[in-house]
Amino acid sequence: MWKKGDSEETGVPDSSPPRPVPTPAGAERAPRGPREAAIIGPSIAIRGDVTGDEDLTIQGRVEGTVTLKQHNLSVGPEGKVDASIHARTVTVDGEVKGDLRGEEQVVLRKTARVQGNIQSPRVTVEDGARFRGGIDMGEPAVGADAGLSRPGRLAGAGHRSDAASDFDRPAA
């Protein structure tokens, strides 16, 4: 007699792993605990829009836009990004040409090379980082003037930040 768990054809207990049960559309999956960030490796090049629902580390090349509004983005030391970036926190160790928007924070490590504007309530620029652009740490602008359309403008001041920048000069 066939019993649950036996193969239908032979009547022998089935040793294969159980089949996964599909998750109904709209149902949430059980939390799996902290996840490691997804990685775009050093040999990967992407052209286009990168979006996602998890943290991301870029070690390769990305051209286009990167949008992870609720997650963290890191550009590793070998990473080269020619894109506008929007993430919860943005940490740069490599090279970025494009505007950076951090919902919480933007950090430029000492090996960072950034050419573009930064908009975030908290900005950290470590000694040795190379940066050319403007920093806006104020409230987001409303209306047609929203965004980072005026390079070199500091929030609340009419000063240009290019004077102290050595982005194009080789490191000593």
Side-chain angles (χ1 to χ4, degrees):
M1 169 155 212
W2 180 79
K3 292 186 249 170
K4 186 175 181 181
D6 290 10
S7 170
E8 290 182 32
E9 292 119 17
T10 64
V12 178
D14 189 5
S15 61
S16 64
R19 292 183 185 147
V21 177
T23 305
E28 293 192 28
R29 296 179 181 175
R32 295 182 177 166
R35 284 171 82 168
E36 288 189 31
I39 298 174
I40 296 175
S43 66
I44 304 295
I46 296 175
R47 282 190 182 168
D49 299 333
V50 177
T51 61
D53 249 350
E54 60 186 298
D55 295 347
L56 177 65
T57 298
I58 299 174
Q59 296 286 4
R61 293 186 62 87
V62 175
E63 296 178 20
T65 63
V66 180
T67 306
L68 306 168
K69 292 179 184 177
Q70 300 301 315
H71 299 279
N72 303 320
L73 174 76
S74 295
V75 178
E78 300 301 316
K80 294 187 180 200
V81 178
D82 189 357
S84 295
I85 295 173
H86 185 178
R88 184 169 51 111
T89 62
V90 179
T91 303
V92 180
D93 283 298
E95 182 178 326
V96 175
K97 290 182 181 176
D99 293 340
L100 305 173
R101 182 171 177 197
E103 293 293 322
E104 292 181 11
Q105 182 177 23
V106 173
V107 178
L108 305 185
R109 301 276 186 218
K110 65 182 179 180
T111 57
R113 297 169 311 282
V114 175
Q115 185 173 349
N117 297 308
I118 297 173
Q119 181 180 7
S120 182
R122 293 181 10 221
V123 176
T124 302
V125 180
E126 291 184 357
D127 191 26
R130 292 187 283 171
F131 169 71
R132 173 176 284 158
I135 298 175
D136 181 352
M137 296 175 66
E139 293 295 320
V142 178
D145 226 13
L148 296 167
S149 59
R150 294 178 300 215
R153 180 145 173 83
L154 296 174
H159 303 229
R160 293 192 56 86
S161 61
D162 312 49
S165 175
D166 61 348
F167 184 81
D168 294 323
R169 287 185 235 151

mmCIF file of all heavy atoms in Angstrom, residues 68-107:
data_model
loop_
_atom_site.group_PDB
_atom_site.id
_atom_site.type_symbol
_atom_site.label_atom_id
_atom_site.label_comp_id
_atom_site.label_asym_id
_atom_site.label_seq_id
_atom_site.Cartn_x
_atom_site.Cartn_y
_atom_site.Cartn_z
ATOM 1 N N LEU A 68 19.011 53.142 -5.018
ATOM 2 C CA LEU A 68 18.738 52.219 -3.913
ATOM 3 C C LEU A 68 18.273 53.053 -2.729
ATOM 4 O O LEU A 68 18.911 53.073 -1.681
ATOM 5 C CB LEU A 68 20.000 51.430 -3.534
ATOM 6 C CG LEU A 68 20.716 50.680 -4.651
ATOM 7 C CD1 LEU A 68 22.079 50.210 -4.183
ATOM 8 C CD2 LEU A 68 19.880 49.502 -5.085
ATOM 9 N N LYS A 69 17.174 53.762 -2.875
ATOM 10 C CA LYS A 69 16.737 54.779 -1.918
ATOM 11 C C LYS A 69 16.697 54.305 -0.473
ATOM 12 O O LYS A 69 16.969 55.070 0.433
ATOM 13 C CB LYS A 69 15.377 55.326 -2.303
ATOM 14 C CG LYS A 69 15.404 56.126 -3.576
ATOM 15 C CD LYS A 69 14.023 56.633 -3.925
ATOM 16 C CE LYS A 69 14.035 57.350 -5.252
ATOM 17 N NZ LYS A 69 12.716 57.797 -5.653
ATOM 18 N N GLN A 70 16.350 53.050 -0.240
ATOM 19 C CA GLN A 70 16.221 52.545 1.127
ATOM 20 C C GLN A 70 17.406 51.678 1.554
ATOM 21 O O GLN A 70 17.344 51.034 2.594
ATOM 22 C CB GLN A 70 14.927 51.736 1.257
ATOM 23 C CG GLN A 70 13.676 52.537 0.945
ATOM 24 C CD GLN A 70 13.516 53.748 1.846
ATOM 25 O OE1 GLN A 70 13.702 53.656 3.056
ATOM 26 N NE2 GLN A 70 13.197 54.887 1.267
ATOM 27 N N HIS A 71 18.477 51.662 0.766
ATOM 28 C CA HIS A 71 19.584 50.758 1.047
ATOM 29 C C HIS A 71 20.923 51.463 0.900
ATOM 30 O O HIS A 71 21.004 52.592 0.435
ATOM 31 C CB HIS A 71 19.497 49.535 0.127
ATOM 32 C CG HIS A 71 18.229 48.777 0.344
ATOM 33 N ND1 HIS A 71 18.073 47.885 1.382
ATOM 34 C CD2 HIS A 71 17.043 48.825 -0.293
ATOM 35 C CE1 HIS A 71 16.856 47.399 1.348
ATOM 36 N NE2 HIS A 71 16.198 47.961 0.345
ATOM 37 N N ASN A 72 21.978 50.769 1.305
ATOM 38 C CA ASN A 72 23.321 51.337 1.310
ATOM 39 C C ASN A 72 24.049 50.994 0.018
ATOM 40 O O ASN A 72 23.922 49.890 -0.498
ATOM 41 C CB ASN A 72 24.113 50.777 2.490
ATOM 42 C CG ASN A 72 23.411 51.037 3.808
ATOM 43 O OD1 ASN A 72 22.852 52.100 4.017
ATOM 44 N ND2 ASN A 72 23.417 50.064 4.682
ATOM 45 N N LEU A 73 24.860 51.928 -0.446
ATOM 46 C CA LEU A 73 25.678 51.717 -1.633
ATOM 47 C C LEU A 73 27.121 52.024 -1.280
ATOM 48 O O LEU A 73 27.407 53.065 -0.690
ATOM 49 C CB LEU A 73 25.230 52.618 -2.778
ATOM 50 C CG LEU A 73 26.157 52.547 -3.997
ATOM 51 C CD1 LEU A 73 25.914 51.253 -4.758
ATOM 52 C CD2 LEU A 73 25.974 53.731 -4.886
ATOM 53 N N SER A 74 28.017 51.120 -1.650
ATOM 54 C CA SER A 74 29.447 51.343 -1.473
ATOM 55 C C SER A 74 30.122 51.230 -2.830
ATOM 56 O O SER A 74 29.816 50.317 -3.591
ATOM 57 C CB SER A 74 30.059 50.299 -0.537
ATOM 58 O OG SER A 74 29.528 50.421 0.751
ATOM 59 N N VAL A 75 31.019 52.154 -3.111
ATOM 60 C CA VAL A 75 31.862 52.064 -4.293
ATOM 61 C C VAL A 75 33.237 51.677 -3.770
ATOM 62 O O VAL A 75 33.878 52.453 -3.058
ATOM 63 C CB VAL A 75 31.912 53.395 -5.071
ATOM 64 C CG1 VAL A 75 32.841 53.278 -6.271
ATOM 65 C CG2 VAL A 75 30.514 53.814 -5.506
ATOM 66 N N GLY A 76 33.657 50.458 -4.079
ATOM 67 C CA GLY A 76 34.925 49.937 -3.579
ATOM 68 C C GLY A 76 36.116 50.645 -4.191
ATOM 69 O O GLY A 76 35.974 51.426 -5.140
ATOM 70 N N PRO A 77 37.316 50.361 -3.689
ATOM 71 C CA PRO A 77 38.526 51.032 -4.170
ATOM 72 C C PRO A 77 38.767 50.873 -5.672
ATOM 73 O O PRO A 77 39.329 51.752 -6.300
ATOM 74 C CB PRO A 77 39.654 50.376 -3.377
ATOM 75 C CG PRO A 77 39.000 49.692 -2.235
ATOM 76 C CD PRO A 77 37.583 49.430 -2.620
ATOM 77 N N GLU A 78 38.341 49.761 -6.244
ATOM 78 C CA GLU A 78 38.521 49.530 -7.679
ATOM 79 C C GLU A 78 37.293 49.958 -8.485
ATOM 80 O O GLU A 78 37.301 49.880 -9.712
ATOM 81 C CB GLU A 78 38.799 48.041 -7.945
ATOM 82 C CG GLU A 78 40.046 47.523 -7.259
ATOM 83 C CD GLU A 78 41.298 48.284 -7.678
ATOM 84 O OE1 GLU A 78 41.472 48.539 -8.886
ATOM 85 O OE2 GLU A 78 42.100 48.641 -6.787
ATOM 86 N N GLY A 79 36.231 50.389 -7.812
ATOM 87 C CA GLY A 79 34.997 50.769 -8.482
ATOM 88 C C GLY A 79 35.133 52.071 -9.238
ATOM 89 O O GLY A 79 35.764 53.019 -8.775
ATOM 90 N N LYS A 80 34.526 52.107 -10.434
ATOM 91 C CA LYS A 80 34.484 53.318 -11.258
ATOM 92 C C LYS A 80 33.049 53.517 -11.690
ATOM 93 O O LYS A 80 32.491 52.701 -12.417
ATOM 94 C CB LYS A 80 35.395 53.196 -12.467
ATOM 95 C CG LYS A 80 36.851 53.132 -12.074
ATOM 96 C CD LYS A 80 37.756 53.193 -13.261
ATOM 97 C CE LYS A 80 39.176 53.110 -12.729
ATOM 98 N NZ LYS A 80 40.146 53.589 -13.638
ATOM 99 N N VAL A 81 32.450 54.596 -11.217
ATOM 100 C CA VAL A 81 31.040 54.859 -11.474
ATOM 101 C C VAL A 81 30.914 56.185 -12.210
ATOM 102 O O VAL A 81 31.417 57.202 -11.748
ATOM 103 C CB VAL A 81 30.238 54.890 -10.154
ATOM 104 C CG1 VAL A 81 28.787 55.209 -10.414
ATOM 105 C CG2 VAL A 81 30.372 53.565 -9.413
ATOM 106 N N ASP A 82 30.249 56.140 -13.364
ATOM 107 C CA ASP A 82 29.932 57.347 -14.122
ATOM 108 C C ASP A 82 28.412 57.417 -14.141
ATOM 109 O O ASP A 82 27.770 57.027 -15.117
ATOM 110 C CB ASP A 82 30.518 57.245 -15.525
ATOM 111 C CG ASP A 82 30.416 58.557 -16.291
ATOM 112 O OD1 ASP A 82 29.837 59.528 -15.751
ATOM 113 O OD2 ASP A 82 30.898 58.616 -17.434
ATOM 114 N N ALA A 83 27.835 57.811 -13.013
ATOM 115 C CA ALA A 83 26.386 57.734 -12.850
ATOM 116 C C ALA A 83 25.930 58.635 -11.714
ATOM 117 O O ALA A 83 26.694 58.939 -10.804
ATOM 118 C CB ALA A 83 25.980 56.292 -12.533
ATOM 119 N N SER A 84 24.672 59.016 -11.771
ATOM 120 C CA SER A 84 24.038 59.658 -10.632
ATOM 121 C C SER A 84 23.667 58.555 -9.651
ATOM 122 O O SER A 84 23.187 57.500 -10.050
ATOM 123 C CB SER A 84 22.780 60.401 -11.061
ATOM 124 O OG SER A 84 23.117 61.463 -11.920
ATOM 125 N N ILE A 85 23.897 58.822 -8.361
ATOM 126 C CA ILE A 85 23.654 57.821 -7.322
ATOM 127 C C ILE A 85 22.653 58.371 -6.321
ATOM 128 O O ILE A 85 22.772 59.515 -5.881
ATOM 129 C CB ILE A 85 24.973 57.459 -6.607
ATOM 130 C CG1 ILE A 85 25.929 56.780 -7.575
ATOM 131 C CG2 ILE A 85 24.711 56.602 -5.383
ATOM 132 C CD1 ILE A 85 27.325 56.542 -6.994
ATOM 133 N N HIS A 86 21.674 57.532 -5.955
ATOM 134 C CA HIS A 86 20.707 57.894 -4.917
ATOM 135 C C HIS A 86 20.523 56.664 -4.033
ATOM 136 O O HIS A 86 20.048 55.631 -4.492
ATOM 137 C CB HIS A 86 19.383 58.310 -5.539
ATOM 138 C CG HIS A 86 18.382 58.812 -4.558
ATOM 139 N ND1 HIS A 86 17.154 59.275 -4.930
ATOM 140 C CD2 HIS A 86 18.412 58.932 -3.211
ATOM 141 C CE1 HIS A 86 16.472 59.644 -3.867
ATOM 142 N NE2 HIS A 86 17.218 59.437 -2.803
ATOM 143 N N ALA A 87 20.944 56.780 -2.764
ATOM 144 C CA ALA A 87 20.827 55.667 -1.826
ATOM 145 C C ALA A 87 20.615 56.218 -0.422
ATOM 146 O O ALA A 87 20.743 57.424 -0.188
ATOM 147 C CB ALA A 87 22.078 54.791 -1.868
ATOM 148 N N ARG A 88 20.303 55.323 0.507
ATOM 149 C CA ARG A 88 20.143 55.746 1.905
ATOM 150 C C ARG A 88 21.476 56.278 2.411
ATOM 151 O O ARG A 88 21.563 57.380 2.922
ATOM 152 C CB ARG A 88 19.657 54.585 2.774
ATOM 153 C CG ARG A 88 19.397 54.998 4.209
ATOM 154 C CD ARG A 88 18.674 53.928 4.987
ATOM 155 N NE ARG A 88 19.312 52.640 4.882
ATOM 156 C CZ ARG A 88 19.939 52.015 5.874
ATOM 157 N NH1 ARG A 88 19.979 52.561 7.063
ATOM 158 N NH2 ARG A 88 20.493 50.845 5.699
ATOM 159 N N THR A 89 22.539 55.472 2.292
ATOM 160 C CA THR A 89 23.894 55.948 2.594
ATOM 161 C C THR A 89 24.777 55.598 1.408
ATOM 162 O O THR A 89 24.619 54.550 0.776
ATOM 163 C CB THR A 89 24.487 55.313 3.869
ATOM 164 O OG1 THR A 89 24.600 53.908 3.690
ATOM 165 C CG2 THR A 89 23.630 55.612 5.079
ATOM 166 N N VAL A 90 25.704 56.487 1.106
ATOM 167 C CA VAL A 90 26.642 56.287 0.010
ATOM 168 C C VAL A 90 28.043 56.395 0.587
ATOM 169 O O VAL A 90 28.371 57.398 1.228
ATOM 170 C CB VAL A 90 26.453 57.348 -1.103
ATOM 171 C CG1 VAL A 90 27.455 57.128 -2.230
ATOM 172 C CG2 VAL A 90 25.028 57.344 -1.633
ATOM 173 N N THR A 91 28.859 55.364 0.375
ATOM 174 C CA THR A 91 30.244 55.377 0.819
ATOM 175 C C THR A 91 31.124 55.162 -0.399
ATOM 176 O O THR A 91 30.929 54.200 -1.147
ATOM 177 C CB THR A 91 30.516 54.256 1.849
ATOM 178 O OG1 THR A 91 29.609 54.415 2.941
ATOM 179 C CG2 THR A 91 31.944 54.321 2.364
ATOM 180 N N VAL A 92 32.097 56.062 -0.610
ATOM 181 C CA VAL A 92 32.934 55.992 -1.802
ATOM 182 C C VAL A 92 34.393 55.795 -1.395
ATOM 183 O O VAL A 92 34.956 56.598 -0.651
ATOM 184 C CB VAL A 92 32.794 57.264 -2.667
ATOM 185 C CG1 VAL A 92 33.672 57.175 -3.908
ATOM 186 C CG2 VAL A 92 31.346 57.513 -3.049
ATOM 187 N N ASP A 93 34.981 54.704 -1.895
ATOM 188 C CA ASP A 93 36.419 54.465 -1.774
ATOM 189 C C ASP A 93 37.087 54.603 -3.139
ATOM 190 O O ASP A 93 38.288 54.775 -3.221
ATOM 191 C CB ASP A 93 36.687 53.043 -1.245
ATOM 192 C CG ASP A 93 36.453 52.928 0.239
ATOM 193 O OD1 ASP A 93 37.155 53.608 0.995
ATOM 194 O OD2 ASP A 93 35.560 52.156 0.640
ATOM 195 N N GLY A 94 36.322 54.484 -4.210
ATOM 196 C CA GLY A 94 36.838 54.506 -5.577
ATOM 197 C C GLY A 94 36.555 55.819 -6.267
ATOM 198 O O GLY A 94 36.642 56.883 -5.672
ATOM 199 N N GLU A 95 36.157 55.722 -7.546
ATOM 200 C CA GLU A 95 35.966 56.908 -8.380
ATOM 201 C C GLU A 95 34.505 57.053 -8.784
ATOM 202 O O GLU A 95 33.881 56.086 -9.235
ATOM 203 C CB GLU A 95 36.825 56.777 -9.637
ATOM 204 C CG GLU A 95 36.760 57.956 -10.559
ATOM 205 C CD GLU A 95 37.671 57.802 -11.761
ATOM 206 O OE1 GLU A 95 38.739 57.201 -11.630
ATOM 207 O OE2 GLU A 95 37.280 58.284 -12.840
ATOM 208 N N VAL A 96 33.970 58.268 -8.641
ATOM 209 C CA VAL A 96 32.599 58.562 -9.056
ATOM 210 C C VAL A 96 32.596 59.873 -9.828
ATOM 211 O O VAL A 96 33.136 60.872 -9.363
ATOM 212 C CB VAL A 96 31.630 58.669 -7.857
ATOM 213 C CG1 VAL A 96 30.236 59.091 -8.325
ATOM 214 C CG2 VAL A 96 31.554 57.369 -7.094
ATOM 215 N N LYS A 97 31.969 59.837 -11.010
ATOM 216 C CA LYS A 97 31.692 61.048 -11.780
ATOM 217 C C LYS A 97 30.185 61.115 -11.906
ATOM 218 O O LYS A 97 29.587 60.366 -12.666
ATOM 219 C CB LYS A 97 32.355 60.998 -13.155
ATOM 220 C CG LYS A 97 33.856 61.110 -13.091
ATOM 221 C CD LYS A 97 34.472 61.106 -14.460
ATOM 222 C CE LYS A 97 35.980 61.189 -14.331
ATOM 223 N NZ LYS A 97 36.632 61.090 -15.631
ATOM 224 N N GLY A 98 29.572 61.967 -11.129
ATOM 225 C CA GLY A 98 28.118 62.094 -11.113
ATOM 226 C C GLY A 98 27.658 62.593 -9.754
ATOM 227 O O GLY A 98 28.424 62.626 -8.797
ATOM 228 N N ASP A 99 26.415 62.996 -9.691
ATOM 229 C CA ASP A 99 25.858 63.524 -8.450
ATOM 230 C C ASP A 99 25.558 62.403 -7.464
ATOM 231 O O ASP A 99 25.125 61.317 -7.854
ATOM 232 C CB ASP A 99 24.583 64.310 -8.732
ATOM 233 C CG ASP A 99 24.849 65.583 -9.519
ATOM 234 O OD1 ASP A 99 26.005 66.054 -9.519
ATOM 235 O OD2 ASP A 99 23.899 66.108 -10.134
ATOM 236 N N LEU A 100 25.808 62.669 -6.173
ATOM 237 C CA LEU A 100 25.546 61.717 -5.094
ATOM 238 C C LEU A 100 24.435 62.273 -4.216
ATOM 239 O O LEU A 100 24.523 63.418 -3.762
ATOM 240 C CB LEU A 100 26.793 61.517 -4.226
ATOM 241 C CG LEU A 100 28.082 61.106 -4.920
ATOM 242 C CD1 LEU A 100 29.240 61.126 -3.940
ATOM 243 C CD2 LEU A 100 27.915 59.745 -5.523
ATOM 244 N N ARG A 101 23.431 61.444 -3.970
ATOM 245 C CA ARG A 101 22.365 61.853 -3.053
ATOM 246 C C ARG A 101 22.212 60.769 -2.003
ATOM 247 O O ARG A 101 21.900 59.622 -2.323
ATOM 248 C CB ARG A 101 21.053 62.055 -3.795
ATOM 249 C CG ARG A 101 19.956 62.531 -2.871
ATOM 250 C CD ARG A 101 18.734 62.939 -3.620
ATOM 251 N NE ARG A 101 17.700 63.309 -2.665
ATOM 252 C CZ ARG A 101 16.442 63.414 -2.954
ATOM 253 N NH1 ARG A 101 16.020 63.199 -4.182
ATOM 254 N NH2 ARG A 101 15.567 63.733 -2.032
ATOM 255 N N GLY A 102 22.445 61.129 -0.753
ATOM 256 C CA GLY A 102 22.291 60.209 0.361
ATOM 257 C C GLY A 102 21.140 60.651 1.238
ATOM 258 O O GLY A 102 21.151 61.781 1.736
ATOM 259 N N GLU A 103 20.166 59.769 1.424
ATOM 260 C CA GLU A 103 19.033 60.107 2.281
ATOM 261 C C GLU A 103 19.493 60.358 3.718
ATOM 262 O O GLU A 103 18.933 61.194 4.407
ATOM 263 C CB GLU A 103 17.986 58.994 2.259
ATOM 264 C CG GLU A 103 17.289 58.832 0.929
ATOM 265 C CD GLU A 103 16.412 60.021 0.570
ATOM 266 O OE1 GLU A 103 15.765 60.589 1.464
ATOM 267 O OE2 GLU A 103 16.386 60.374 -0.620
ATOM 268 N N GLU A 104 20.518 59.620 4.174
ATOM 269 C CA GLU A 104 21.032 59.782 5.535
ATOM 270 C C GLU A 104 22.448 60.343 5.562
ATOM 271 O O GLU A 104 22.754 61.200 6.362
ATOM 272 C CB GLU A 104 21.001 58.450 6.284
ATOM 273 C CG GLU A 104 19.611 57.962 6.579
ATOM 274 C CD GLU A 104 19.594 56.645 7.339
ATOM 275 O OE1 GLU A 104 20.660 56.204 7.821
ATOM 276 O OE2 GLU A 104 18.512 56.053 7.451
ATOM 277 N N GLN A 105 23.337 59.798 4.690
ATOM 278 C CA GLN A 105 24.741 60.194 4.791
ATOM 279 C C GLN A 105 25.498 59.860 3.512
ATOM 280 O O GLN A 105 25.197 58.882 2.828
ATOM 281 C CB GLN A 105 25.397 59.465 5.964
ATOM 282 C CG GLN A 105 26.845 59.826 6.188
ATOM 283 C CD GLN A 105 27.427 59.141 7.414
ATOM 284 O OE1 GLN A 105 26.933 58.120 7.862
ATOM 285 N NE2 GLN A 105 28.482 59.704 7.946
ATOM 286 N N VAL A 106 26.514 60.681 3.216
ATOM 287 C CA VAL A 106 27.491 60.407 2.159
ATOM 288 C C VAL A 106 28.869 60.472 2.801
ATOM 289 O O VAL A 106 29.183 61.432 3.518
ATOM 290 C CB VAL A 106 27.393 61.418 0.993
ATOM 291 C CG1 VAL A 106 28.533 61.220 0.004
ATOM 292 C CG2 VAL A 106 26.051 61.280 0.278
ATOM 293 N N VAL A 107 29.688 59.431 2.562
ATOM 294 C CA VAL A 107 31.040 59.372 3.123
ATOM 295 C C VAL A 107 32.038 59.216 1.973
ATOM 296 O O VAL A 107 31.914 58.298 1.166
ATOM 297 C CB VAL A 107 31.192 58.172 4.094
ATOM 298 C CG1 VAL A 107 32.623 58.095 4.617
ATOM 299 C CG2 VAL A 107 30.202 58.275 5.240
#
